[in-house]
Amino acid sequence: MIKAEWFYWLVGLSFLVMASQMLTDRSNPKRFGTTAFWGLLGAGFIYSSWVVEKKAPAEPLGAAVLVMVLLAGFGFTGRGTPRTTTPEQREASALKLGNKLFVPALAIPVVALLCAVLVKKLSIGGEPILQEGSETILGLGIGAVVALVVGMIMLREKRISVPVQAGRSMLESMGWAMLLPQLLATLGTIFQLSGVGTQVGKLATSVLPEDSLYVAVVVYCIGMALFTVIMGNAFAAFPVMTAAVGWPVLIEHFHGDAPAVLAIGMLAGFCGTLVTPMAANFNIVPSALLELKDQYGPIKAQLPTAGVLLGCNIVVMALFAF
Amino acid sequence: MIVLLGVLVVVVGFATKRNALLVVGVAGIVTGLLGGLSPQEVLAAFGTGFASSRAVTIFAITLPVIGLLERYGLQEQARRLIARFAKLTTGRFLALYLGMRQIGAAVGLTHVFGHAQTVRPLAVPMAEGAAERKHGRLTDKGREKVRSFSASADNVGLFFGEDVFLAVGSILLITSFVNTTYNTHLEPLHLALWAIPSALCAFAVHGWRLLRLDRYLERELVAANIEPVAEGAAK
């Protein structure tokens, strides 16, 4: 049986390999902090396996996460000069290879989908090939490995160090932002543990008339959007609003279809992302990038769409989820 | 009620433009302590939270192959592909871009487009070029509008396309959160299917608004360019 943990170890291992490359990269002025950040992330990925199985204490991992936060938060991470091709070389190569270049890139989603739909049902000797419940993650992992093999054969690239270096410079250019979604999910869990969801739930139920399904749908969707505006990210809003209204009221009380309620709830949150300056990487950074005089230009362009789409999500959820 | 102060920490942190990781870290510690967790329990919460949300970061496994393809001109080829559609109006071009962004995100290519790599070097010049070919010189106001809408096409396309791809962070976040918190089992595929109605709505609504941009530009630019046209006619 192929297990999801193997792919977490592979990701952890590649972070560790990339961290060791960062250590020797003298073009990065902050190479020690950068190495420590990615090294801890890689080690954390592997150590997590035992935390999930409750065979190792979670506190050391928590401490490592906080060290990563401090390293990134106080500017100890940086990036080196990537070793890559020149724009002219890339232009020439694109001209030569044409649309063939999309084949490996498209192999990733195709393999992921095949695993999630077909391979999932296969088993050898009564044991499923893919670990149950992790078919999607396995699909992504297998897809990436297949795509890498196809890509290297197609491009006649023999050195595995080339894609690893390329991946490393993409990691460095994303920097600490790559850890942010995972940390926001963690924050959501902590909010949940500390009872923020329950408090918001109390506030919500005090304004919610009992047995009014449609009002509850509206409160969940608008709550997702508002919380996302405040937190700048639907990932952090989701656990709070789901613990407050989504799960107890919409799914348990009104017996809503869980995948529909939760998927549409998340998209209602995305309507909030479209209109908040807190989501700086989507809304404020582009105005700087495009040299706009009005830094709220993109938000203004998105505001009417976000409003209408929030309405659409409410209607779709109310019509189809119950 | 006092635990809601953690939310306030996030708001103040982002409003004063602190480093986002730092804000989230501090908000987690403050909320945990106010919620009655001991310092040790807060550490453990960070640890278990990190361990159970690893699925969100697993897309990193695709970076080496994407990086390899970019070395060999993946972005340049994507650019050439779009350039074939250059003879469009601004609104139609941006609606097409919206559709391509949505489809790309829906098959998992969330990093093929983007503000830095596609919108600035490619989409904006093409959208502005289309407007100028049709209506003459762009005013400052018109230019701001075209650029804002170019950025918006990328955002709307990404947000309402990516959830159709089942291995994206937000779908994996929903399943990992719900499966661990409520001891149930949700399939990413079912969640992804439920993202399709909203994706279609997003394309219809924002696509229509992008097409309306042509009308706005016509009014704005024809009025602004009337003088030079009249001058030309007098000669």
Side-chain angles (χ1 to χ4, degrees):
Chain A
M1 185 168 71
I2 304 175
K3 290 187 177 149
E5 291 300 332
W6 298 355
F7 283 94
Y8 289 127
W9 295 342
L10 185 63
V11 174
L13 195 68
S14 50
F15 283 159
L16 285 173
V17 171
M18 289 171 186
S20 69
Q21 290 177 337
M22 291 168 189
L23 189 62
T24 54
D25 181 1
R26 287 176 192 281
S27 70
N28 182 355
K30 294 172 177 172
R31 64 195 165 113
F32 295 113
T34 318
T35 305
F37 182 85
W38 294 103
L40 278 172
L41 186 60
F45 249 75
I46 297 170
Y47 182 79
S48 290
S49 295
W50 286 275
V51 173
V52 170
E53 289 177 8
K54 299 198 167 51
K55 285 179 184 159
E59 287 87 351
L61 183 59
V65 172
L66 292 182
V67 172
M68 281 185 255
V69 166
L70 291 177
L71 283 170
F74 292 104
F76 289 107
T77 58
R79 54 189 293 194
T81 320
R83 276 181 255 163
T84 183
T85 43
T86 64
E88 292 76 29
Q89 283 173 320
R90 287 198 292 273
E91 203 67 63
S93 154
L95 209 59
K96 196 176 93 197
L97 295 159
N99 290 334
K100 253 169 65 182
L101 273 169
F102 294 116
V103 173
L106 287 170
I108 301 171
V110 169
V111 172
L113 201 66
L114 283 179
C115 285
V117 179
L118 291 177
V119 185
K120 186 186 157 185
K121 295 183 181 137
L122 301 179
S123 55
I124 297 174
E127 203 183 10
I129 295 178
L130 304 178
Q131 185 185 351
E132 258 176 85
S134 302
E135 293 88 354
T136 311
I137 290 166
L138 288 171
L140 185 67
I142 297 169
V145 174
V146 168
L148 186 59
V149 172
V150 170
M152 289 186 72
I153 293 172
M154 198 185 88
L155 301 170
R156 299 207 182 91
E157 181 61 70
K158 290 188 189 69
R159 294 158 299 170
I160 185 73
S161 60
V162 171
V164 175
Q165 285 282 2
R168 170 173 79 98
S169 58
M170 288 181 82
L171 272 193
E172 283 183 344
S173 67
M174 273 186 257
W176 55 262
M178 228 192 75
L179 185 62
L180 192 58
Q182 210 178 339
L183 204 62
L184 281 165
T186 306
L187 180 65
T189 319
I190 293 176
F191 273 17
Q192 161 76 2
L193 274 178
S194 317
V196 173
T198 335
Q199 287 297 340
V200 175
K202 274 185 197 159
L203 280 179
T205 38
S206 68
V207 296
L208 255 179
E210 246 178 77
D211 284 326
S212 171
L213 167 64
Y214 296 116
V215 177
V217 169
V218 170
V219 167
Y220 182 50
C221 290
I222 293 185
M224 269 302 295
L226 278 184
F227 243 90
T228 304
V229 167
I230 293 172
M231 316 270 288
N233 193 309
F235 285 16
F238 181 78
V240 174
M241 281 312 294
T242 301
V245 185
W247 193 269
V249 180
L250 291 178
I251 294 173
E252 291 200 320
H253 185 68
F254 287 111
H255 308 291
D257 177 44
V261 168
L262 301 172
I264 300 167
M266 181 64 95
L267 291 167
F270 286 2
C271 297
T273 320
L274 287 176
V275 296
T276 176
M278 306 282 184
N281 49 338
F282 296 114
N283 295 333
I284 303 296
V285 172
S287 15
L289 210 56
L290 303 177
E291 292 155 8
L292 290 177
K293 290 192 196 81
D294 178 6
Q295 65 162 340
Y296 296 121
I299 291 183
K300 285 176 187 160
Q302 285 156 196
L303 193 65
T305 302
V308 176
L309 284 182
L310 184 56
C312 290
N313 282 314
I314 291 172
V315 171
V316 172
M317 192 190 289
L319 285 182
F320 298 113
F322 297 94
Chain B
M1 292 305 270
I2 196 157
V3 294
L4 294 180
L5 282 176
V7 179
L8 195 68
V9 171
V10 177
V11 176
V12 172
F14 278 115
T16 53
K17 295 181 178 157
R18 308 278 165 198
N19 176 287
L21 276 190
L22 209 53
V23 170
V24 175
V26 171
I29 294 171
V30 169
T31 310
L33 294 177
L34 289 178
L37 303 181
S38 71
Q40 200 191 348
E41 283 171 323
V42 172
L43 270 188
F46 269 101
T48 42
F50 176 89
S52 59
S53 61
R54 279 174 302 161
V56 176
T57 310
I58 202 162
F59 76 89
I61 204 168
T62 63
L63 293 182
V65 64
I66 300 291
L68 176 72
L69 295 173
E70 285 192 353
R71 268 181 73 102
Y72 283 92
L74 181 68
Q75 286 194 10
E76 284 70 13
Q77 183 61 21
R79 246 171 246 180
R80 279 161 26 109
L81 198 66
I82 301 187
R84 291 195 196 147
F85 303 104
K87 283 180 184 155
L88 292 166
T89 65
T90 306
R92 285 181 198 162
F93 167 72
L94 288 178
L96 185 78
Y97 182 82
L98 171 70
M100 290 177 67
R101 181 69 162 132
Q102 271 194 303
I103 292 169
V107 298
L109 298 173
T110 46
H111 296 282
V112 167
F113 297 90
H115 293 291
Q117 59 270 48
T118 323
V119 177
R120 184 191 155 112
L122 185 70
V124 161
M126 286 174 70
E128 288 183 352
E132 295 195 323
R133 192 170 48 231
K134 193 135 187 249
H135 307 297
R137 207 171 48 82
L138 266 176
T139 57
D140 281 352
K141 223 172 122 193
R143 189 177 302 277
E144 288 263 317
K145 197 98 171 173
V146 170
R147 291 187 173 188
S148 297
F149 271 89
S150 304
S152 77
D154 196 88
N155 282 336
V156 174
L158 174 65
F159 293 1
F160 293 92
E162 65 170 5
D163 268 21
V164 179
F165 180 56
L166 42 138
V168 81
S170 52
I171 294 278
L172 297 173
L173 172 74
I174 296 175
T175 54
S176 62
F177 171 73
V178 174
N179 292 351
T180 44
T181 314
Y182 302 108
N183 289 318
T184 168
H185 184 76
L186 287 186
E187 283 289 328
L189 189 60
H190 293 153
L191 288 156
L193 289 178
W194 279 109
I196 293 175
S198 302
L200 295 176
C201 289
F203 183 71
V205 172
H206 204 62
W208 184 75
R209 293 195 55 231
L210 289 170
L211 292 179
R212 296 272 301 177
L213 184 62
D214 281 339
R215 288 216 187 149
Y216 166 86
L217 287 172
E218 198 159 350
R219 275 199 315 269
E220 166 83 16
L221 299 185
V222 167
N225 287 328
I226 256 176
E227 227 172 295
V229 171
E231 245 173 50
K235 282 174 193 168

